[in-house]
Amino acid sequence: MTAALFSEVAPFARAGSKVAPGAWDRLAGRRFYSTCSWLTFCDNEPGALSGAATCYSEGKLVAAVPVAELISPSMPLYRWNDLLSSQGLPALPSRGLLVGPRQGYQTHLLALEEELPGTLVAKLVEEIRRVHALFGEAHERACVAMYVTTRDAVALRRAGVSALPVLLGADAWLQVPPGGWPAWLESMTSKNRLKKVKKEVRRFRQAGYEINHMFLSQCYEKLAVAAASTQSKYGNSGNPDDYLPALRRYVERMGAVAKVAVCSQQGGTPVGFCIYFIWGDTIFLRWCGFDHRRLISGAAEYFNLLYYGQIKLAEELGVRWIHAGIKSTEAKARRGAQLRPLWLVDLVEDSILAQVPDRVRQHNERGYRRLAEDSQTAEALVDLDSWQIFL
């Protein structure tokens, strides 16, 4: 076993085999949160032994998924029992193997082929369970994949996973059409929403704001006040010094990959920031913060910085997607985001969730109905079959 998979590129694989970064990233493709650079970043955070389940064919890596044996409690939205109990579903063992990256809210089964053959998924499940067994008795520990796409949740079920996937929430994506910002405005089907967007852009400009894009290394020391201000709204520390180490870690471990959009007035002290990564045809939004004491009423700093400014950047770069993540679902939907479901899948053979399929289906249906029957989000649901398949 190793505690440093992606810094040493050595997974929990048979015979101690190693994976070259290039071979891994070929599997990851456009999925940034499964790349070596991001997994290395996660790997340097304490609290877990990181590794991967891997499958080979004729000596060639053909499928894989990152995993982490959790030593201490994970980040709040990765604490599976908190999420399950809040919906009245049975608790799993509190410790165990997390299948997927430890941060980013995106888990993918990685393979060279776009459509994963069922036999390959079955082999990958077997490898995941083998890694799970390395750390102790299976019945005493969980083996949970979180924030899984519908495609992969279906593939896991077809490979023999007994538990019905549990809906975790909606993943928001903004598509940038050819023609960029003007074309995106024209694509809005609601005149009221279009009017609202134009008003927010106008108010932002009238307030004298500007957005500058730069490497995070150029300005991270200036962002701690905004980071602390936003975190204090959620009951966390409001001391800027507490956030400098986290900002510095992005600089030290992500290097030039870490970019930031900075909102200020005439180049003054930042009022807000959004850290993001560009990978393939997508901008991945990661961390935003605002100095709320200095915001101007009605200037829509949040939406201009995170959405409208990023759409304009995407136009410049020829990028076609913006990944906006799992929070503020209604606000994202009102501004043209597409919503896709993400799932929790318990991979142990005798999962307690497999014993209560009706309760899981009821939970999934409630979550889907909340979005489907809300006029703010209904039009944003992409591919209804992917939402309804586990109802």
Side-chain angles (χ1 to χ4, degrees):
M1 297 183 296
T2 173
L5 162 62
F6 289 99
S7 55
E8 297 180 5
V9 201
F12 300 122
R14 295 182 187 279
S17 61
K18 294 188 176 182
V19 181
W24 183 276
D25 280 349
R26 279 193 291 275
L27 290 187
R30 64 189 294 267
R31 305 170 183 91
F32 174 75
Y33 290 119
S34 290
T35 62
C36 265
S37 59
W38 180 252
L39 294 169
T40 299
F41 175 82
C42 297
D43 207 36
N44 281 283
E45 298 297 318
L49 296 172
S50 298
T54 55
C55 294
Y56 289 82
S57 177
E58 300 179 354
K60 183 178 182 181
L61 181 67
V62 293
V65 65
V67 298
E69 175 67 16
L70 302 180
I71 298 171
S72 58
S74 55
M75 297 176 65
L77 293 181
Y78 280 88
R79 295 175 186 172
W80 49 73
N81 278 342
D82 289 355
L83 300 172
L84 292 170
S85 62
S86 69
Q87 301 301 322
L89 294 174
L92 308 176
S94 59
R95 298 290 181 87
L97 194 72
L98 173 68
V99 178
R102 292 168 59 196
Q103 299 182 40
Y105 312 111
Q106 285 272 299
T107 292
H108 298 276
L109 304 181
L110 307 178
L112 292 176
E113 301 180 48
E114 184 64 27
E115 294 298 325
L116 280 71
T119 53
L120 187 58
V121 179
K123 284 181 61 179
L124 195 55
V125 170
E126 180 182 343
E127 278 299 295
I128 292 168
R129 289 173 173 167
R130 184 189 70 82
V131 173
H132 182 234
L134 291 176
F135 295 94
E137 292 295 331
H139 69 277
E140 297 176 350
R141 298 168 41 262
C143 184
V144 182
M146 298 187 70
Y147 303 102
V148 178
T149 64
T150 299
R151 184 201 75 153
D152 289 352
V154 169
L156 290 169
R157 285 281 283 172
R158 289 175 176 169
V161 171
S162 61
L164 198 67
V166 177
L167 181 63
L168 288 178
D171 199 26
W173 296 76
L174 286 160
Q175 186 172 23
V176 183
W181 175 252
W184 182 78
L185 289 175
E186 291 177 5
S187 70
M188 300 196 77
T189 57
S190 167
K191 291 183 179 180
N192 288 335
R193 290 184 180 181
L194 177 59
K195 184 178 179 181
K196 182 176 182 61
V197 169
K198 288 184 174 180
K199 180 180 178 181
E200 289 175 338
V201 172
R202 184 175 65 253
R203 291 280 184 86
F204 183 82
R205 186 170 55 248
Q206 290 172 344
Y209 285 126
E210 60 184 23
I211 297 174
N212 291 297
H213 297 271
M214 61 191 75
F215 295 111
L216 181 61
S217 58
Q218 294 175 278
C219 65
Y220 76 93
E221 301 99 328
K222 300 178 181 179
L223 307 180
V225 171
S229 178
T230 292
Q231 288 299 315
S232 67
K233 290 185 63 178
Y234 300 101
N236 300 317
S237 168
N239 183 353
D241 290 342
D242 292 339
Y243 299 95
L244 270 176
L247 290 164
R248 190 179 298 115
R249 280 196 295 273
Y250 274 96
V251 172
E252 293 173 348
R253 296 171 186 172
M254 299 303 294
V257 177
K259 306 288 181 61
V260 63
V262 178
C263 174
S264 60
Q265 291 177 305
Q266 298 180 342
T269 304
V271 170
F273 71 89
C274 176
I275 296 173
Y276 62 90
F277 310 103
I278 301 170
W279 189 262
D281 62 352
T282 304
I283 296 172
F284 291 84
L285 308 183
R286 178 59 193 164
W287 181 7
C288 72
F290 292 88
D291 187 348
H292 292 273
R293 299 166 301 175
R294 298 171 54 216
L295 301 185
I296 298 172
S297 178
E301 293 94 341
Y302 179 90
F303 300 114
N304 277 276
L305 183 61
L306 269 71
Y307 306 144
Y308 312 147
Q310 294 291 346
I311 291 170
K312 293 173 183 177
L313 175 66
E315 177 184 1
E316 295 174 16
L317 299 176
V319 167
R320 289 288 166 252
W321 290 96
I322 297 168
H323 178 243
I326 61 172
K327 298 179 181 178
S328 306
T329 301
E330 289 187 4
K332 293 168 184 175
R334 288 198 300 269
R335 287 156 182 85
Q338 300 178 8
L339 301 179
R340 306 174 186 176
L342 294 172
W343 309 89
L344 177 154
V345 184
D346 185 11
L347 297 172
V348 299
E349 293 186 73
D350 56 349
S351 170
I352 191 171
L353 293 175
Q355 301 172 28
V356 291
D358 290 343
R359 288 168 62 184
V360 174
R361 290 185 188 278
Q362 289 167 8
H363 157 75
N364 293 345
E365 183 163 8
R366 285 195 301 270
Y368 166 68
R369 293 295 175 196
R370 277 196 297 270
L371 297 171
E373 295 174 0
D374 185 336
S375 61
Q376 302 292 339
T377 54
E379 292 184 7
L381 301 183
V382 176
D383 184 9
L384 291 184
D385 286 345
S386 72
W387 285 91
Q388 298 171 353
I389 191 167
F390 300 122
L391 301 189

